Amino acid sequence: MDRLPVVVLSGFLGSGKTTLLNRWLRERQDLAVIINELGDIGIDQHLTGESRVPVTLLSGGCLCCVIQGTLSSTLRNLFMARKNGELPPFSTLVLETTGAADPFGVTAPLEQDPWLQKRFFCQSVLTVVDALAGTRSLERHPEWLEQIHAADALLLSKTAQCEPEALAALQAQLTALNPTAHIYPEPAPVDLLEQSFTRRCRVTGSFAPVAPGGSLLSPHHPQTQPSRHQLYSASLRWEGGLSWPLWQAALKQLARQCGDSLIRVKGLLCVEGLDGPLLVQWVEAQEPELTPLKQWPDEDAVTRLVLIVRHPQADFAQQQLAHWETLLTQLS
């Protein structure tokens, strides 16, 4: 029996995984895609364009530590649907992880489940690196280091917005962290989906954020973090609509509420006067990307938004969205 290759597409929150995947889907129609999202409301699966490729959403938690069992059952269902002719005979499965996921944890079911071992194999781990936020991510986010270390290839994104000196420094840092991974400039070629790599064992030890001014190669790492990620999400569905100026004011208020805890905001906003939604993609200190879409991706033309924060309190994100929803109601 020929086993099906699985490509794990990793990268921290907002690095550009879905943008890259969209470009690949325009060139390859023989894929199946699984998208894992931290929030309870899925957004990324609506951004994969009009491709005929089957897309499965796994929401509400991270595959490496929360819903790993769901991945095993999803892989089984996809394999049987393909075998029974219920899905096109895809040749490669692309698994887009959450920005918090440790790729080694995601690939574990493929290595430990005997049924899956006979039918799938991990062909590669490809990590998208946000060149614009690279140094800041190293200082703040231990997940970023895990994703860099696990990668067979590192795919740079947002390089056009970087100064040449900063980009060269980032590439040197990446090489120091993972000397065996090839670094691909933007745009990463679709041929990467065909390339196989020798699987590597996980190195024991914990990763931790690099202190400002500290060395990336220091052998001393703090022990266990207070929680696996300290990344928490909250989701909002809101029936109303606002004018564009009011949405601008509301988003600024959300940023003020969350402060430095804000990591990622993405959503579809109902804007008065627009036929489709306004797509919001926002990565912590970067400017929000606001894109009007021609039409809603489904029949549910309702504002929906996912907020992701890094905070010691698990309910902080939910509290901020509750306050924000009150503000939206007042503005409407």
Side-chain angles (χ1 to χ4, degrees):
M1 178 189 300
D2 292 333
R3 297 189 298 164
L4 291 169
V6 177
V7 174
V8 176
L9 184 60
S10 177
F12 195 66
L13 294 157
S15 60
K17 298 185 295 296
T18 302
T19 299
L20 174 62
L21 180 58
N22 271 334
R23 182 168 59 78
W24 283 349
L25 289 178
R26 289 194 291 270
E27 301 182 51
R28 290 280 299 270
Q29 295 294 306
D30 61 330
L31 306 175
V33 175
I34 297 175
I35 295 177
N36 179 212
E37 296 207 52
L38 277 177
D40 294 326
I41 297 177
I43 302 294
D44 286 351
Q45 85 277 13
H46 295 310
L47 308 181
T48 54
E50 299 178 355
S51 171
R52 298 178 183 176
V53 167
V55 177
T56 302
L57 173 68
L58 299 181
S59 61
C62 186
L63 282 176
C64 74
C65 57
V66 178
I67 58 173
Q68 196 175 78
T70 305
L71 175 60
S72 296
S73 60
T74 298
L75 289 171
R76 291 169 183 263
N77 292 340
L78 281 173
F79 182 88
M80 295 308 299
R82 177 184 182 273
K83 180 179 179 180
N84 296 333
E86 300 166 13
L87 289 178
F90 57 87
S91 63
T92 302
L93 175 64
V94 179
L95 172 53
E96 180 188 339
T97 70
T98 75
D102 172 4
F104 284 117
V106 173
T107 60
L110 298 174
E111 300 164 351
Q112 299 171 0
D113 186 314
W115 193 93
L116 295 178
Q117 276 185 325
K118 295 177 182 179
R119 294 160 177 85
F120 295 96
F121 71 97
C122 182
Q123 177 172 269
S124 60
V125 175
L126 310 177
T127 296
V128 180
V129 178
D130 182 342
L132 192 60
T135 301
R136 183 171 62 253
S137 293
L138 283 169
E139 294 173 352
R140 291 194 64 190
H141 306 306
E143 299 84 3
W144 197 86
L145 291 175
E146 294 174 339
Q147 294 159 5
I148 295 300
H149 184 265
D152 297 310
L154 301 169
L155 320 180
L156 298 180
S157 68
K158 307 180 186 180
T159 55
Q161 305 171 54
C162 297
E163 294 296 330
E165 295 80 6
L167 185 59
L170 175 62
Q171 289 179 294
Q173 290 177 327
L174 296 176
T175 299
L177 286 169
N178 189 342
T180 64
H182 185 79
I183 300 175
Y184 287 85
E186 204 172 19
V190 71
D191 294 347
L192 270 173
L193 295 176
E194 298 297 324
Q195 190 169 349
S196 293
F197 298 86
T198 302
R199 298 269 45 84
R200 294 176 290 123
C201 294
R202 183 188 193 119
V203 176
T204 58
S206 62
F207 290 98
V210 177
S215 169
L216 297 176
L217 304 179
S218 170
H220 304 292
H221 298 290
Q223 297 302 311
T224 307
Q225 295 289 309
S227 72
R228 175 64 184 86
H229 296 303
Q230 283 200 337
L231 288 169
Y232 300 105
S233 69
S235 305
L236 171 69
R237 286 175 53 84
W238 187 64
E239 299 288 342
L242 296 177
S243 66
W244 169 228
L246 289 180
W247 273 123
Q248 285 182 304
L251 290 171
K252 289 180 180 178
Q253 176 57 32
L254 181 61
R256 284 192 291 268
Q257 288 179 207
C258 296
D260 292 339
S261 297
L262 189 150
I263 300 297
R264 182 84 160 106
V265 175
K266 55 183 174 180
L268 301 171
L269 308 182
C270 182
V271 181
E272 294 173 354
L274 292 183
D275 293 331
L278 185 72
L279 170 64
V280 178
Q281 300 191 85
W282 190 355
V283 182
E284 41 186 331
Q286 300 178 22
E287 286 296 316
E289 295 182 14
L290 307 172
T291 308
L293 303 182
K294 294 181 180 179
Q295 61 185 21
W296 289 86
D298 52 24
E299 297 179 358
D300 189 14
V302 173
T303 288
R304 64 203 84 163
L305 184 132
V306 175
L307 169 67
I308 301 174
V309 302
R310 185 183 293 281
H311 198 274
Q313 297 179 4
D315 60 350
F316 178 80
Q318 190 60 57
Q319 289 176 358
Q320 302 315 308
L321 274 193
H323 294 321
W324 196 59
E325 183 176 12
T326 301
L327 171 66
L328 296 181
T329 302
Q330 294 171 349
L331 291 175
S332 65

